[in-house]
Structure formats: structure tokens, C-alpha cells
Amino acid sequence: MAVSDIHAFAHLTEEQIEELGRELDQVRRDVEADRGERDAAYIRRAIALQRGLAAGGRITLFASAFPPAWVAGTTMLGLAKIIENMELGHNVIHGQWDWMNDPEIHSSTWEWDTACPSEQWKHSHNYVHHKYTNVVGKDNDVGYGILRITRDQKWHPINLGQPVYNALLATFFQWGVAMHDLEIEKIRKGTKDRRTTLRQLKQIGRKVARQVGKDYVLFPLLTGPQFLSTLTANATANLIRNLWSYTVIFCGHFPDGAEKFTEEHLEDETQAEWYLRQMLGSANFKAGKLMAFMSGNLCYQIEHHCFPDLPSNRYAEIAERLQEICARYEIPYTTGSLAAQYLKTLRTIWKLSLPDRFLRATSDAAPETASERGGTVQQLRLVS
Amino acid sequence: MPALASLRHRLATPAAGGLPPAHTNVAEPAEEVGLLRGLASRITTPLLPDDYLHLLNPLWSARELRGKVVEVRPETETAATLVIKPGWGWTGRYQAGQYVGIGVQVEGRWHWRSYSLTSVPEHGDGTISITVKAMPEGFLSKHLISGLAPGTVVRLAAPQGDFVLPDPPPEKVLFLTAGSGLTPVIGMLRMLHRRDSVPDVVLVHSARNASDALFRQELKQLVAAHDGLTVHEQLTDEMGLLTVERLVDVVPDWTERETWACGPPAMLDDAEKLWRTNHLTGRLHVERFSLQLDGAGGEGGTVTFGAGGKTAEVDGATTLLEAGEAAGVQLPFGCRMGICQSCVVPLLAGSVRDLRNGTVHQEGDRIQTCISAAAGDCVLGV
């Protein structure tokens, strides 16, 4: 079973956890007080770069029949889509830039370049995932309703196909994200209001029509005889974006060391305990400045989960303070190279396609899931 | 100078004085332009063509009205006129006496205020002007006067306000102004002057002293140019306040005049009382500079949910979301802990406090109801 008693698991007293919470509150206040012109300039530059790349890519693809132009245009467009989804869309919709009071860079008005309507994303991601992070049965991001990524999820023969579903999800990631807030699991069980589902489907339909129309009809048509080569370029750009965002997002909560929690833990959870759950449930990966930018600073997943609405360009400096705090409280700070984190994720997905009786570890002390019954974080750290 | 707007008007229009929601500012374009925009937005979706074009030229966007400051002209030691060239989407349609919302970025953050237009509609080179007087406590008015270099890009909100003259103007007019309350009226006088049709107009204007008085030279020239115009200047440092009781000494025929008054709240309150006791209420038009809400910056207050909506008395620790739900108002909500932005609504008036860090948000901000409490009376756009 996943973590139910976070005190026992983290080996911290109630007072220590509350003190930890106060320290994190202080980190938030310090960053909030310091936001200003340089942050505003940062996001404006990021937006200008992204739109420049998008326009450059689209224009270059007017020569898409010429292979070097196809490669250059596709690359620019793919990069633009990645930056738009990761550093701009995801973070703006989180309200990271709402403090600027700019209606054009605001969580309540931003619509992003992907099939998922931002209103639904705000619900499934900002609310459900960020509030109930890694709580099995509450957070739909624990396996996205199709993958078993912890032994706390019961095995079903359908899980045998996990390696395939995983590859499909990576390839068609934006479509998976678009369907996410529908909560197909609930529709299947008949526990979801039909009118809500219909309203959501209509909203998705409208968004998809515009997105598909742009990438697969209008731009190819505009390039005339080069219809097909522009179409393949746009599809490739979307694929690049899908694979990259899938990788970054899967490395946030699925690598070893990102703990899962039971619903029991949620009862009377304090703000400080919420912070602790975010820290124990998230995983970073090591990235230089460029990779950090391309990941929308989600290489700082732990920092993002503690402060989802602080500007992403500040996560690097927050990371220094959080690492120091983690060391002091002897809380693990899970990180590794992107390759290592992804391979651990992949190992879990493949392994858990099998029923537990073929697996050696128990659900209290497996690499991908541990609990206070399997040992405290200190003990886990000693054996790993 | 604080915001210029009448309470009535401000509450009737959600965008007034506040942060205008995206896309609502876009003026009705001509049909062909509209069609072209529609087609172009199909290929720029989910953005608008404007989102790309304004990166080339900041004025090339009608998504949010923008303007470029072309001149900052000092008027007195503490006041300056800002001449602004509006960008795309600006219709140029406004009436003398109306105000315009102006957004300025300071330290990365956009701040919105409203100021009376002092330029003459449908005249000149297409620029507009506002005249700003620095207020002792007004950091933004000071910034507008001394911190804005020509070339600075500002945001604009569509002109509005019903403090305007009818067309044609009444035969006998009284303008009653004090301090920067002269700004909407100078716009009207300039318009009458341009049309060369100044009726029988008396302007009674109060200022502290000669160096503090706005548009002094210009008023002298206008008086010289138009027989119908009389100006009574009350310099209060030496002459004392002109109370409404003494108005009859200065303007014996004041009851025969349709009156436009703009100035400090106390002056306007007195004027409203005088006109009411003389059964002339309909002949008095008043422009109030700011919404005076009780207890601004304090703890708790009366929360109004939507203009003219339900109200609730709340303390300084109850979140606006809880207060609304207790009052039976359907508010958007999500995480209830300040992280998901599902509950964001515009703050139409007053101020609220972020309970996490004590930050006080002012009218024009968008706020999260789940972690904000009333800091004085406030009005939410729901």
C-alpha cells in the first residue's frame, strides 16, 4: 500500500512538518515580493521567441517540397509548439504570470496550441492533479486511467498491453491530454453527469476542429502543390511536441522515489502536509538552462508542485533553497538525469503490466511505491 | 488624480475602470476587415493575428487597445498632459467630457486608472490627450507625469461616461469645477471653441493658487475670444473656499443654468444638496473622480457579488468564496487553496486581501476568491 501516514514515512513530528511548512511559505513570500520588471521581460522575450519560431517555421514550410526547408521548417515549428505548450501555455494557465495584471498573459484568457481546451485543463490539471497529487483513486494522473504505475492499482489482464499503450500515448499525447478531463473511467462506471460530458465533448470538438483545420487543412492548402509535404511537416512537428512533452511529464511523478499516497492520508491534511506530499511525490531531472527552458522548467517538478503559481523562471533559485531544506529535514529530493529518470519510468510501466505474483517486491517496498510499512525514507535511502 | 467615473456608470459596465476582458475591447471592424480577420485567425488559432503583429509594431493590435505616448507636456508643477497616439481598434468616437481607461506597466505590473479626455473629438491628428495631476498618495499619477518617456506603450480602454453636453448645448450653462475637476470641462470648452458655438457659459473654477491652476492662459484666451464665456477663478489660498451658499453671489442666475460639476466629493455633495433643495436635481450633472468605498484597506466589509447582485457582510478572515456560498451565490471554484485559478473573478471596485501574504488587490485586478478576503467594501464581477 502507498503512504498513509506521512509523519511515520518521513520520520518527522507534527511540529517539524509545520515548521517545514512555514519555511516553504517564506520561500513563496520572498519570491512574490521580488517579482518585477525582469520577470515580465523574461516572459515577453519567451513569447516573442515562440511566436517568431512559429511564424518562421510556417513561412519556411511554403517551400516544404524542398527537403532542407522541410527539415528547418519542421524543426522551428516543433520547437515553437514545445515552448508554447510547456513554458508558455502550461505555466500561464497555472496563473504564474497573473501578477502582471496583463489580460493577454493571464490564466483566465490564455488558450494554448493543443487539442485540450484550457478550461478543462485547468480543472483536470491545476485543480485535481495539483491538489490531490499522487493520491491513488483521486489523482487521475496516476497512470492516466490506462496505465498501472503502482502496485496499489489492481492488476487486470488488460494491463498486459501496457508497453503498447504507453508507446501510443507518447505518440498521440495531445489527444490523450484532450480526453483527460472527460474522466472516461467515470463515464464507463456511469458516475458522471451526461450533460457535463456532452458539454465537454462539444468544447473539445470545437477546439479540435480549429487545431486540425489549421495544421492539416489550411496551412497545407496555402502552400498549394506542396500540400502533402506541408502536411507531413506539421504532423511531424506535432509528433515532436507530443514525444517531448510526454517524456517530461512522465518523468515528473513516475520515476522511482516519487511516492504515491492513499486517500486515508488526505483526511485533515494541513497545508504543511500538502507541501510534504508534493515534495515526496514529485521527481526532478537534471537540466541545463536550455533544457530547463524547453521543459517549461518542469525539470524542477518538485519546485513546481510546491509553488505551481510562481513564475517558472524562478524555479532554479527556489531549487537551491528546497534542496537545502530537504537536506536539513532529511527528506529525499528525487532527481537524476533525464535518461535515468525515463528508464526508471519505463521499467515500472513494463514491469507492472504483469500481475504482482510475478514480481519480487511488495507494494510497501517496491522501487516505484513504498510506504511507512516498508520503512521510513531514511531506511529506504540506506538500502537504495 | 484618481479615477474619473461615476459610480452608476462604473457598475453598469463590467470592463469600466477594471481590467478589460480580452476581446471585448475590439471595435466593430468594417465587414471586409472582419472577414479577413476571421480568416487570418483560422491560421493563427488559438491566437489572433494581432498577437503576432503587435510584436512588429506595438500599435498593430485590436485585441487590447494600445496607444503610444507621443508627448508629455507639463501644465503646472504637479500636472502634465499626455498626448497618446491610439493603435488599431480605436474608433476615435468619443464625446468631450468622457473618460478613458489607461493601463501602464510599472515594475512588470499593469496598473489601470481612468482619466478625462482633454482632446477634442474628431479633430486634429488622431491623437488623444489626458491631463493628469499628481496626487500626494498617488504613485501612478506621479509615474504618469514624470516617469513616462515619449514612445512608451500604454493600454487603453474604450472611452465612456455620461458627463457630456447635449448637442446642441443648452443656451445657459454653468460649469462648477475644482482642481483637476476642470479636465472634463476643458474638453467641452475646447470642443465648443472649435465649433465656434459657445453659448452663455459661466465657469466657476477653484484652485489653490495661481501656480496650481490648470489651463490658466488658455482660459484667458477663450474668454477673450468668446463673448458668451465668463470665468470666475477662485484661488482658495487667498480667497478662501467658495461655498455653495456663496454661489449665488458669483452666479446670480445659477438656477436658470444647466450645470456640470466636477471636483472633490465634499463639493459635489454640497452641490447635490443645494440643487435638490431647489428642486433642480435634473439640471445638475455630476462627475465623481473615484468610487468612495468604506474602509478601503481595512478588514472585512460589504461584498457585492456582481453589479447590483447579492451582498454579504463579512469579516477580514472569511474568504470571498465562503462568503458567496453562504449568501447563496454560485461562484466558480476548484482547489480552495489558491493553486488552480478556477475561481478567478475581476474585482470591479474596492479592495481585497490575499490571506496568504497580505497583498492588497485593488479594483481592476483579477482575484482568487478562495484565498482572498474583503479589505473594506468591494464589488466582484461574477
Side-chain angles (χ1 to χ4, degrees), chain A residues 136 146-163 165 348-359 363:
Chain A
V136 182
I146 55 166
L147 298 176
R148 187 169 97 108
I149 52 100
T150 163
R151 280 156 232 239
D152 301 297
Q153 294 163 303
K154 244 183 95 186
W155 183 85
H156 185 277
I158 206 164
N159 292 122
L160 284 170
Q162 277 204 165
Y165 315 148
T348 298
I349 293 169
W350 286 359
K351 219 165 50 178
L352 294 194
S353 61
L354 298 173
D356 288 351
R357 63 177 182 277
F358 292 102
L359 305 174
S363 69

Side-chain angles (χ1 to χ4, degrees), chain B residues 20-21 24 32-33 72-73 84 89 137 141 162 172 245 278 288 340 363 365:
Chain B
T24 56
E32 317 81 71
V33 180
V72 181
R73 196 167 57 224
I84 298 165
E137 301 292 313
S141 58
D162 47 14
K172 297 185 81 159
E245 293 82 37
N278 284 280
R288 286 184 185 271
C340 83
E363 149 185 359
D365 287 5

Side-chain angles (χ1 to χ4, degrees), chain B residues 252-304:
Chain B
D253 60 350
W254 68 274
T255 52
E256 296 164 28
R257 295 177 177 274
E258 184 144 5
T259 302
W260 278 262
C262 184
M267 179 196 110
L268 297 177
D269 291 346
D270 287 350
E272 280 179 337
K273 210 188 291 168
L274 179 68
W275 261 257
R276 199 162 48 234
T277 46
N278 284 280
H279 306 290
L280 291 166
T281 305
R283 310 258 296 157
L284 176 68
H285 309 269
V286 165
E287 177 83 328
R288 286 184 185 271
F289 277 6
S290 66
L291 200 54
Q292 294 293 321
L293 286 175
D294 286 339
E299 299 227 335
T302 306
V303 186
T304 306

Side-chain angles (χ1 to χ4, degrees), chain A residues 28-29 32 35-37 40 44 47-48 50-51 54-55 58 93-95 98-104 106-113 122-123 126-127 130-131 207 210-211 214 218-219 222 271 274 308-309, chain B residues 19-23 38-39 41-47 51-52 54-55 61 63-64 66 105-112 155 333-342 344 354 356-357 359 364-366 368:
Chain A
R28 163 185 281 280
R29 277 195 294 272
E32 281 177 339
R35 290 180 301 207
E37 180 51 38
R44 282 198 303 264
I47 289 173
Q50 187 273 330
R51 292 184 190 163
R58 298 286 189 193
I93 297 168
H94 261 300
D98 284 9
W99 63 274
M100 288 167 61
N101 209 24
D102 186 335
E104 291 180 358
H106 201 279
S107 65
S108 56
T109 56
W110 194 278
E111 190 57 70
W112 56 346
D113 185 16
K122 230 181 274 178
H123 178 259
N126 290 12
Y127 168 30
H130 274 270
K131 186 177 171 92
K207 180 92 193 272
R210 288 186 78 102
Q211 291 292 118
K214 165 182 74 164
L218 289 176
F219 270 112
L222 280 175
Q271 169 75 25
W274 177 85
D309 55 349
Chain B
L19 202 145
H23 305 286
L39 282 175
S41 72
R42 288 285 167 180
I43 62 168
T44 55
T45 188
L47 297 173
D51 294 319
Y52 290 89
H54 81 74
L55 296 173
S61 173
R63 174 173 168 173
E64 285 291 316
R66 287 170 161 82
Q105 203 171 25
V106 186
E107 289 293 311
R109 201 171 181 288
W110 289 91
H111 298 263
W112 285 86
R155 299 277 173 85
F333 71 91
C335 67
R336 295 175 179 272
M337 59 186 295
I339 58 166
C340 83
Q341 321 303 325
S342 302
V344 172
D354 184 329
R356 296 174 303 180
N357 54 26
T359 307
D365 287 5
R366 292 183 188 196
Q368 295 166 270

Side-chain angles (χ1 to χ4, degrees), chain A residues 23 321 323-331:
Chain A
E23 290 201 38
R321 293 181 67 175
Q323 285 179 59
E324 186 272 323
I325 290 172
C326 283
R328 232 173 337 106
Y329 286 84
E330 298 188 3
I331 304 166

Side-chain angles (χ1 to χ4, degrees), chain A residues 125-292:
Chain A
H125 180 81
N126 290 12
Y127 168 30
V128 179
H129 170 58
H130 274 270
K131 186 177 171 92
Y132 302 113
T133 315
N134 286 19
V135 175
V136 182
K138 288 287 258 184
D139 177 5
N140 296 321
D141 283 27
V142 178
Y144 298 97
I146 55 166
L147 298 176
R148 187 169 97 108
I149 52 100
T150 163
R151 280 156 232 239
D152 301 297
Q153 294 163 303
K154 244 183 95 186
W155 183 85
H156 185 277
I158 206 164
N159 292 122
L160 284 170
Q162 277 204 165
V164 179
Y165 315 148
N166 178 51
L168 287 172
L169 184 58
T171 310
F172 300 101
F173 195 57
Q174 74 158 329
W175 304 105
V177 170
M179 311 263 284
H180 194 36
D181 200 36
L182 286 172
E183 299 177 289
I184 291 170
E185 188 75 14
K186 279 191 190 169
I187 297 175
R188 208 165 48 82
K189 287 182 185 156
T191 56
K192 189 162 166 169
D193 176 42
R194 277 187 59 167
R195 265 180 317 204
T196 311
T197 307
L198 259 153
R199 192 188 66 81
Q200 287 186 320
L201 277 172
K202 267 190 203 154
Q203 195 182 28
I204 296 169
R206 274 195 302 273
K207 180 92 193 272
V208 166
R210 288 186 78 102
Q211 291 292 118
V212 168
K214 165 182 74 164
D215 279 337
Y216 301 123
V217 182
L218 289 176
F219 270 112
L221 277 178
L222 280 175
T223 58
Q226 305 172 86
F227 183 92
L228 265 183
S229 51
T230 306
L231 185 120
T232 57
N234 291 351
T236 309
N238 278 323
L239 176 67
I240 295 170
R241 183 273 319 271
N242 284 351
L243 294 175
W244 176 247
S245 48
Y246 152 88
T247 308
V248 168
I249 286 161
F250 267 50
C251 286
H253 301 288
F254 300 159
D256 299 358
E259 304 303 340
K260 314 297 176 289
F261 301 84
T262 65
E263 286 189 49
E264 210 181 323
H265 163 75
L266 279 181
E267 283 168 29
D268 303 318
E269 187 185 55
T270 64
Q271 169 75 25
E273 289 164 345
W274 177 85
Y275 274 135
L276 183 56
R277 174 158 56 85
Q278 303 304 323
M279 295 164 93
L280 295 175
S282 309
N284 284 9
F285 60 84
K286 292 182 178 142
K289 280 198 166 156
L290 181 66
M291 214 212 281

Side-chain angles (χ1 to χ4, degrees), chain A residues 32-44:
Chain A
E32 281 177 339
D34 192 42
R35 290 180 301 207
E37 180 51 38
R38 81 180 160 109
D39 304 279
Y42 169 83
I43 195 65
R44 282 198 303 264

